[in-house]
Each structure stands twice: as C-alpha cells, then as structure tokens.
Amino acid sequence: MQIQFTRRITWDQLPGELRARIESHLGSRVIRALSQASGFSPGSADRLLTADGQRVFAKAVHPGLSAPATALHAREAAIAAKLPAALPVPQFLGRISWQGWEALVFAEGPGASPQLPWPAGQLERVLDTLAQLAHQAPDSLIELLPPLEEELREDVAGFGRIMQDGWLPADPWVAQNLEELHGLAMDGIGALAGDQLVHSDLRSDNILLGDGGEVLLVDWPWASRGAAWYDALTVLVEARIFDPALDADAIAASHPIFESVGADAVSAVLAGLAAYYVDAARRPEVPRLPTLRSYHAKQAAATVGWLKARLA
C-alpha cells in the first residue's frame, strides 16, 4: 500500500519573479531543483542547490492553488521563526511573500522519510525523539501556542456530526456504537491538555531520518501546547495503516513517551481520532487536494481497527 499524494507544481513552474526573489534572499542562483512528491499541498516543495553550494528546501503556494495551504504557509513561517535551533527541526531561513504567493525556505534536512511499512528501528528512533522533545521546548515558546484540546475540540466531535446527519458508517461496529464512541471521544479532550510542544500533524512525510541517526520533524503550522504523546499516537496510527498486525498496544504500554498515560486516556483519544477520520472520509473531495479523503479513509480504518481491538 502506498500513500497517494497530491501532484505538486515544481520549482520551474513558479513565477520567474518569485524564483528571483528566493534566489536574492539566498544570495545565489539556483542551479538544481529536485521536486519532493510527498504531502497533500499542490504547492511546490523542492530541494535546491545554489551556485555557491547552499542546499536548501523551499516550498511555495498561491491562493489560486489552495487558499488553506497558503494560509498554513504564513502560519508556519511565524512558528518556524520561533523554534529553537536545539530542537529536532530544520533551520528556518526565511519567508518570501509576493503577489499572494507564500514561499518558505529552510536549510535542507538530512536523509529521507521513513520507509513504509515502518521498520521497527525507525519507529523507535522517532518515538525516542518525541520523548526527548517533550522536555526540550522552552516555556517561552510553549506559552505562545494554542491549546491542543481547543484546536481539536471540533475534530473529535465527528461522531456527533455523523449522528446529527443520520449518516450510517460502513463499519457495522462503528454504526452500532456511535453514541458510546462519541461519548468516549469527547471524554478524551481533557487528556490532550498539557504544557509540551506538540506537532499535531505528524506522519512519515513530515519526518526526515538521517544516516547518522538524526531525526528531523518538519512542517509545523499546527504546532500546539498539549500532551506530547498525542504525536506518538498519530505515528502509531500511520504505522498500522501499512502494518495492521503491528502490536501498537505493546508499544504504548512500554515506551517512555506514554509513561504517564493511562490506558483509558489512550482509548479516548483514539476514539477522537476515529471520529475525525471517519467524519472526514465521508465528505466531498477538497478542491486541489484530490487524494486527501482517500488517506482519511485509510486513517479511519487503521484507527477504528485498533480501537475496536482495545475495547473488545
């Protein structure tokens, strides 16, 4: 199984004036561009090499391609500028805004995204990094971020919207237990609260693994203040998409990132994720993002399968 990503525009398809402004910002001409296929935005995402040897990553989007993605670029720029260099994040080199275009430039991160299905060693490296990150972010940064429980409150109410609409999920177990699952999902909101840095949108295409063991977490527009183990949970959900037999419960019961988390809290937050994914997967395709709903359906199946096994 592979993730079907949105087809992106490339560096060469950006307006010449925008490319010139990015090159001016870098102080050198771009001599090579390699488009990166991963992600759901239709905007560009390119590894660039400049004439003076700089290796950078640049991405750009315009409201004509996707207004939400353009707003997210602007939001990410504000957050990326505040992320300390000591964190496992790429160095932010700047934002270029021009005639509606939003372009972000970062130092190129080492390595590549994790393999799919997730190898056990790579999964452990990422979870270890998240456990370390939970204690690295300064309070001055955390205080600026929105609370995770508030950011996700509407998302986790998905089963409630499904009941209001009278829509019947295809999974019989979900359809028969909608009211109970909705209550469990809403109970999980409190478990999301905390004072740690949370990426909030973590999956394999937002992770880079270096040959020397480095782990970089990229794409931070949804950064929040909350319970750091939420990121680990979403990574395990993705791992189950590609390996339904993965014993995610054993990992959640033993890894330090989940050390202070009760089993009931894990189940409740999983119910909230299931509520969001099942509700999102039933909705019409998002303009310019033709593969997003199919990925939501995969996330829904993986989350429901795991939750069903836990509650059984």
Side-chain angles (χ1 to χ4, degrees):
M1 181 191 298
Q2 297 293 323
I3 301 177
Q4 297 297 314
F5 292 119
T6 302
R7 185 179 180 86
R8 291 186 176 276
I9 61 171
T10 66
W11 169 258
D12 290 336
Q13 292 173 307
L14 296 177
E17 176 64 20
L18 179 61
R19 284 184 278 129
R21 286 171 180 259
I22 293 172
E23 290 176 324
S24 176
H25 184 81
L26 295 171
S28 184
R29 180 173 55 88
V30 171
I31 60 174
R32 189 177 70 199
L34 180 62
S35 180
Q36 305 300 290
S38 62
F40 295 100
S41 169
S44 67
D46 297 273
R47 291 178 185 252
L48 306 178
L49 174 65
T50 65
D52 65 356
Q54 296 179 72
R55 294 180 180 273
V56 304
F57 171 78
K59 60 182 182 180
V61 70
H62 185 274
L65 292 170
S66 171
T70 306
L72 285 179
H73 274 41
R75 177 170 170 167
E76 182 180 1
I79 293 170
K82 296 180 176 66
L83 294 175
L87 300 184
V89 300
Q91 180 187 3
F92 181 57
L93 300 180
R95 170 188 179 186
I96 296 91
S97 301
W98 174 76
Q99 293 192 1
W101 286 90
E102 288 288 348
L104 307 183
V105 185
F106 299 85
E108 184 180 68
S113 295
Q115 300 171 30
L116 297 176
W118 279 78
Q122 293 187 356
L123 185 58
E124 184 176 1
R125 280 168 63 186
V126 171
L127 295 181
D128 289 348
T129 297
L130 292 175
Q132 295 164 10
L133 178 64
H135 305 289
Q136 288 179 320
D139 292 342
S140 58
L141 169 64
I142 300 297
E143 292 168 357
L144 298 174
L145 300 175
L148 179 64
E149 66 272 24
E150 295 304 322
E151 292 286 280
L152 297 184
R153 187 176 295 275
E154 183 177 347
D155 291 346
V156 304
F159 287 136
R161 288 188 291 274
I162 286 172
M163 288 188 290
Q164 287 178 351
D165 294 345
W167 184 77
L168 194 64
D171 186 301
W173 181 78
V174 175
Q176 293 166 13
N177 294 281
L178 275 174
E179 189 170 345
E180 292 81 3
L181 290 172
H182 175 61
L184 183 60
M186 300 309 291
D187 287 344
I189 292 175
L192 297 171
D195 292 309
Q196 297 167 323
L197 175 62
V198 186
H199 183 285
S200 304
D201 190 30
L202 202 58
R203 55 181 186 269
S204 57
D205 60 294
N206 285 337
I207 300 169
L208 292 175
L209 303 179
D211 293 337
E214 311 96 320
V215 177
L216 278 187
L217 311 178
V218 306
D219 288 352
W220 285 86
W222 298 110
S224 303
R225 176 179 77 251
W229 61 270
Y230 174 78
D231 283 338
L233 196 71
T234 60
V235 167
L236 290 179
V237 167
E238 186 195 51
R240 281 184 59 92
I241 291 176
F242 300 94
D243 180 10
L246 176 74
D247 193 349
D249 280 326
I251 297 172
S254 61
H255 196 277
I257 187 67
F258 294 101
E259 187 174 24
S260 60
V261 186
D264 289 345
V266 172
S267 294
V269 174
L270 270 177
L273 284 171
Y276 172 65
Y277 296 143
V278 173
D279 185 38
R282 72 184 175 111
R283 298 188 177 278
E285 287 187 357
V286 180
R288 303 295 185 111
L289 303 179
T291 65
L292 183 59
R293 295 308 188 202
S294 64
Y295 188 62
H296 283 150
K298 292 180 176 66
Q299 290 173 307
T303 309
V304 167
W306 184 6
L307 183 62
K308 189 187 305 184
R310 287 181 65 87
L311 298 183

